[in-house]
Amino acid sequence: MALPVLAFAQADDPHRWQLNMREGVTASSQHAYDAHMLALWICVAIGLVVFGAMAVAMFKFRKSKGAVPDRDFTHSTKLEVLWTVIPIVLLLVMAFPATSKLIQMYDTRNSEMTVKVTGYQWMWKYDYLDEGVSFTSRLDRRSEQIRQSGVNATEAGHPYYLLDVDNVLVLPTDTKIRFVITADDVIHAWWVPSLGWKQDAIPGLINEAWTEIKKPGIYRGQCAELCGKDHGFMPIVVKAVPPAEYRQWLAAQKAKGVTAPETPAEPGMPDVQAPGQTTAPHTEPVEETPIPAAAG
């Protein structure tokens, strides 16, 4: 019983020895959390009943206390009806709220803005549709240096190793945002756990999703579809800011002309920024600290 009780004390960001899923910062993530907790407590109740009945049977009706098995018992109609009806009722109790919330997760109507997400090997491109702002987002330089150096990543002093990017996706809070998600080469999957969903990015297809972030902050994710040798090196960082701050950021990007090139630098390669082109701000300034040499 201690584990479900401790589950309520989790922070949004994952941490060592976390016992439960995160609640997230959107309605979709909260719905998923609520459905999970409902199923968890139902399973706990079932476990208590089943293991409690087993304990009573083993200790109260054991042979050493003179218990004699009923050799004439075949079946009980009442018991069979009971253990058939109860699971059906429990499934219906879980199915109705889960189904309604699942339908809501796919309802992108009445969105206030649209962001196009395109997966490449191995980076993401973000287009703010109707705003003229577009940029690529890839693994941050510090993480790239560490992974190429061969040093022990735990000793490199980078708290977000392989989870940081050069350009973050900036989004406003309290705004219904529609995502259209696709890919240029192979199947990727755009996944930020705190938003409560993930969506496949498939070449030639457009998938939809939406979010409405309630809490400002930085939320991290990764590609969740095995997409090639650098699959583990294309993180996602979403920075949620108040609407007024987002409008200021967007105006600044438009003034600087932040767009990604229309064509890749090389045939078959994803979009990259032209030399000297201004991009969206980094999540944090990159400190050029020396990396210790690999042992041996």
Side-chain angles (χ1 to χ4, degrees), residues 139-140 143 158-165 220-222 235-237:
L139 185 67
D140 68 303
S143 292
H158 189 354
Y160 293 108
Y161 174 62
L162 299 184
L163 290 174
D164 216 347
V165 297
R220 303 176 191 274
Q222 293 174 297
I236 302 162
V237 180

Side-chain angles (χ1 to χ4, degrees), residues 66-86:
V68 177
D70 186 353
R71 300 180 185 276
D72 298 323
F73 178 81
T74 55
H75 69 275
S76 168
T77 301
K78 291 182 179 179
L79 279 178
E80 294 209 7
V81 169
L82 196 63
W83 63 48
T84 300
V85 171
I86 289 178

Side-chain angles (χ1 to χ4, degrees), residues 21-232:
M21 68 183 293
R22 66 190 71 181
E23 291 189 50
V25 292
T26 67
S28 296
S29 62
Q30 186 63 52
H31 290 165
Y33 180 82
D34 292 342
H36 160 75
M37 293 305 297
L38 174 62
L40 174 65
W41 286 114
I42 288 176
C43 290
V44 168
I46 292 173
L48 289 175
V49 171
V50 171
F51 289 108
M54 289 175 60
V56 171
M58 288 187 292
F59 289 98
K60 184 176 181 180
F61 300 103
R62 63 184 186 270
K63 184 178 180 180
S64 61
K65 294 189 68 172
V68 177
D70 186 353
R71 300 180 185 276
D72 298 323
F73 178 81
T74 55
H75 69 275
S76 168
T77 301
K78 291 182 179 179
L79 279 178
E80 294 209 7
V81 169
L82 196 63
W83 63 48
T84 300
V85 171
I86 289 178
I88 292 175
V89 172
L90 292 176
L91 288 174
L92 291 175
V93 168
M94 292 187 288
F96 278 111
T99 302
S100 64
K101 290 171 182 176
L102 187 63
I103 293 173
Q104 293 177 28
M105 288 178 66
Y106 287 91
D107 185 3
T108 61
R109 294 174 297 178
N110 302 318
S111 299
E112 300 173 62
M113 61 178 286
T114 301
V115 175
K116 179 184 176 184
V117 179
T118 307
Y120 294 92
Q121 290 180 313
W122 287 270
M123 68 188 75
W124 300 98
K125 180 183 176 185
Y126 300 116
D127 296 278
Y128 293 71
L129 301 187
D130 301 324
E131 300 292 350
V133 174
S134 174
F135 55 85
T136 57
S137 178
R138 67 188 78 198
L139 185 67
D140 68 303
R141 186 165 66 246
R142 177 67 174 163
S143 292
E144 185 66 27
Q145 290 174 342
I146 294 171
R147 85 178 186 93
Q148 296 288 353
S149 68
V151 303
N152 188 335
T154 60
E155 300 173 359
H158 189 354
Y160 293 108
Y161 174 62
L162 299 184
L163 290 174
D164 216 347
V165 297
D166 56 357
N167 296 312
V168 302
L169 176 64
V170 180
L171 298 175
T173 58
D174 302 314
T175 303
K176 187 170 183 178
I177 304 164
R178 173 175 170 255
F179 291 87
V180 289
I181 303 172
T182 188
D184 182 72
D185 35 45
V186 300
I187 298 177
H188 302 274
W190 202 82
W191 178 46
V192 179
S194 294
L195 303 188
W197 51 266
K198 68 177 179 179
Q199 187 61 266
D200 281 346
I202 303 173
L205 294 178
I206 299 291
N207 285 326
E208 286 187 311
W210 69 273
T211 193
E212 185 172 354
I213 304 173
K214 302 297 183 181
K215 179 181 176 183
I218 295 179
Y219 308 107
R220 303 176 191 274
Q222 293 174 297
C223 176
E225 191 74 49
L226 188 59
C227 58
K229 71 179 184 67
D230 282 352
H231 159 70

